[in-house]
């Protein structure tokens, strides 16, 4: 049994209103010194079989095909044994 | 300048319809062997100052106060220098 | 061709951190008089066939099965011709 | 007391991976005839005062300033008395 974690974030040049709202809210609540917040998505995927190069390749495909919109989002994939 | 990453996931006992949709969709697209998917939120927060214990404590507070609903969600906090 | 709109909101008694963040941010930005914000999900679904009672029943099922977690969320369904 | 509802959807030309996942999942679950799904955000905002033209104007500003990224998202605003 292996585990794939995919993090999907808006590209840096794309404005992130959700992150902006959190940034303002943190200021309002007295958390000082916060200069930027970005909010993204995290997928935790349980997969049968070993955490090997084949799984890493399939995980990249899952992310690029279904989890992220590559025009506006970046993703990172991590495979854990 | 330090960076705080907060991951927020629904608690394991809380049904996650978004994750379920991704699970079914992966099957439909031919990705076999996927047994579970959970979808959560990821916050990347830039903060002035050092990545020290004080920041770690404040980051915990941010997460518990504003980013997660502790009744239905768990969170993890990571501070990077 | 018919259109189904499903709105999914956290139940009123469930704390909504995203809505809270927007509430604080609106205050910070000078929008006064806002007393509460809730953030939910909206699904717009295009379906072949007529906007009839059968579709309304199937739309209810879609929402209850896949789109909402009924333990923590409420939903409303609207069918448009 | 008035209520503002803001719906935020990705623009039609922007790929929506979340909506795609729901589309595939509905097929997998046996819901036939669904040709497209888009997933967006819905904000329900309680505001002091009357549901008048001034509130409508402020609600437009809230949406354009904080709730939507106009490069990739469209929004609609509705004010209820």
């Amino acid at each position: 049994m292996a585990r794939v974690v995919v993090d999907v974030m808006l590209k840096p040049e794309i404005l992130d209103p959700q992150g902006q709202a959190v940034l303002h809210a943190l200021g309002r609540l007295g958390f000082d010194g916060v200069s930027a917040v970005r909010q993204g998505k995290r997928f935790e995927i349980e997969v049968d079989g070993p955490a090997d190069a084949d799984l890493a390749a399939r995980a990249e495909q899952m992310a690029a095909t279904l989890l992220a919109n590559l025009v506006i989002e970046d993703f990172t994939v991590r495979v854990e044994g």
Side-chain angles (χ1 to χ4, degrees), chain A:
Chain A
M1 182 66 101
R3 188 163 175 262
V4 173
V5 178
V6 179
D7 292 321
V8 177
M9 304 298 291
L10 282 172
K11 286 178 185 290
E13 67 271 22
I14 305 280
L15 182 71
D16 171 8
Q18 302 280 273
Q20 286 291 105
V22 171
L23 173 64
H24 287 294
L26 288 172
R28 182 94 171 193
L29 293 172
F31 291 104
D32 294 325
V34 179
S35 55
V37 179
R38 305 288 287 176
Q39 178 173 340
K41 288 172 273 188
R42 177 186 172 90
F43 298 91
E44 297 182 356
I45 304 170
E46 307 292 330
V47 189
D48 300 333
D52 56 10
D54 176 61
L55 177 56
R58 282 191 298 143
E60 285 278 330
Q61 275 189 301
M62 287 179 201
T65 310
L66 189 73
L67 305 179
N69 174 349
L70 303 187
V71 175
I72 56 172
E73 295 169 327
D74 293 325
F75 69 83
T76 63
V77 168
R78 201 164 57 256
V79 170
E80 300 169 359

